Amino acid sequence: EAGVAQSPRYKIIEKRQSVAFWCNPISGHATLYWYQQILGQGPKLLIQFQNNGVVDDSQLPKDRFSAERLKGVDSTLKIQPAKLEDSAVYLCASSLAGKFMYEQYFGPGTRLTVT
Amino acid sequence: GEDVEQSLFLSVREGDSSVINCTYTDSSSTYLYWYKQEPGAGLQLLTYIFSNMDMKQDQRLTVLLNKKDKHLSLRIADTQTGDSAIYFCAESIKGGGNKLTFGTGTQLKVEL
């Protein structure tokens, strides 16, 4: 079974530029998550989708971050414009459903450096 | 509120047992998890425990939960060099869907 795929793996941009990350979850997984992991910290949930609807985006900085999951499969996370403090690893995860104890499977992440 | 804390670093010798500790504040936790993160890789679920349990054993892994003190620990028996990684505890809370709140992570270094 293929795992969660993410691209690109690494991205370096200057502040005020835009960037987009892509995630392809495990086939059949209805729930998709984006986490931000700042160096030295644990991952923090940015947004959770159930199919193509948003379940939780309470910690998403909506003035600069946006995410979509058209057709309930792939998802993109965008930052526009980027700030220095956005430097982090962005992790995508998926699970069969959005209730607790459906295991979340994580992708390898995209490491973003903002200079 | 949700707050999960861990010590930052642990060093052990190969063959010894490792104990990684975690404290959490939300008394409505339903499941508590241990994840492993190796360099350049995503997080891998190692084990989990339901909040009404005290202990769970899975091969070399033993999870202990003290709900009164809101303390969770992960014991790795016969620690190997391949166990070197960052270990995160995480909690999900009742009514929180499947949202995970992670601790800061403990870096385990296994020395020969």
Side-chain angles (χ1 to χ4, degrees):
Chain A
E1 177 183 80
V4 176
Q6 291 188 245
S7 68
R9 292 295 310 275
Y10 306 91
K11 190 74 176 178
I12 301 174
I13 62 172
E14 295 181 352
K15 59 183 179 184
R16 292 187 290 272
Q17 287 187 322
S18 302
V19 65
F21 313 126
W22 173 82
C23 173
N24 185 19
I26 293 173
S27 178
H29 280 194
T31 310
L32 184 146
Y33 316 77
W34 283 102
Y35 289 85
Q36 179 193 56
Q37 185 178 16
I38 293 172
L39 184 66
Q41 299 181 18
K44 180 184 81 172
L45 180 70
L46 291 175
I47 189 167
Q48 176 181 343
F49 291 96
Q50 179 72 19
N51 297 309
N52 60 353
V54 175
V55 174
D56 184 347
D57 64 355
S58 57
Q59 298 191 92
L60 186 74
K62 298 181 186 64
D63 58 334
R64 298 184 299 107
F65 286 64
S66 64
E68 60 183 11
R69 192 183 183 200
L70 300 176
K71 301 180 183 177
V73 181
D74 294 5
S75 177
T76 55
L77 176 70
K78 296 179 182 177
I79 308 175
Q80 179 180 9
K83 293 185 175 182
L84 295 176
E85 60 259 36
D86 299 331
S87 293
V89 176
Y90 291 85
L91 295 165
C92 180
S94 69
S95 63
L96 272 173
K99 293 187 178 180
F100 53 81
M101 212 36 238
Y102 283 94
E103 181 178 348
Q104 294 186 30
Y105 295 82
F106 283 80
T110 296
R111 182 178 297 277
L112 174 67
T113 302
V114 182
T115 63
Chain B
E2 305 162 8
D3 195 12
V4 182
E5 295 187 356
Q6 301 177 236
S7 53
L8 291 179
F9 191 77
L10 176 66
S11 179
V12 300
R13 289 195 174 178
E14 188 177 41
D16 289 350
S17 292
S18 308
V19 179
I20 303 171
N21 295 300
C22 171
T23 58
Y24 60 97
T25 56
D26 200 314
S27 57
S28 57
S29 295
T30 51
Y31 283 93
L32 294 131
Y33 309 81
W34 285 103
Y35 281 83
K36 177 182 181 182
Q37 187 176 40
E38 295 179 274
L43 282 83
Q44 174 195 357
L45 179 64
L46 288 177
T47 187
Y48 64 92
I49 187 167
F50 190 48
S51 57
N52 67 354
M53 297 170 65
D54 298 323
M55 186 184 86
K56 181 178 180 181
Q57 189 150 2
D58 185 358
Q59 298 182 332
R60 292 191 297 123
L61 305 178
T62 303
V63 179
L64 295 177
L65 175 60
N66 182 328
K67 199 169 182 181
K68 174 177 171 289
D69 295 337
K70 299 189 180 68
H71 183 264
L72 181 74
S73 68
L74 173 69
R75 179 178 179 268
I76 306 173
D78 187 25
T79 311
Q80 303 297 307
T81 55
D83 295 324
S84 293
I86 300 176
Y87 291 80
F88 292 94
C89 64
E91 62 173 352
S92 61
I93 61 170
K94 188 176 182 179
N98 206 11
K99 174 184 175 180
L100 295 178
T101 299
F102 285 87
T104 50
T106 298
Q107 177 148 15
L108 174 64
K109 182 178 179 182
V110 182
E111 299 175 325
L112 297 172

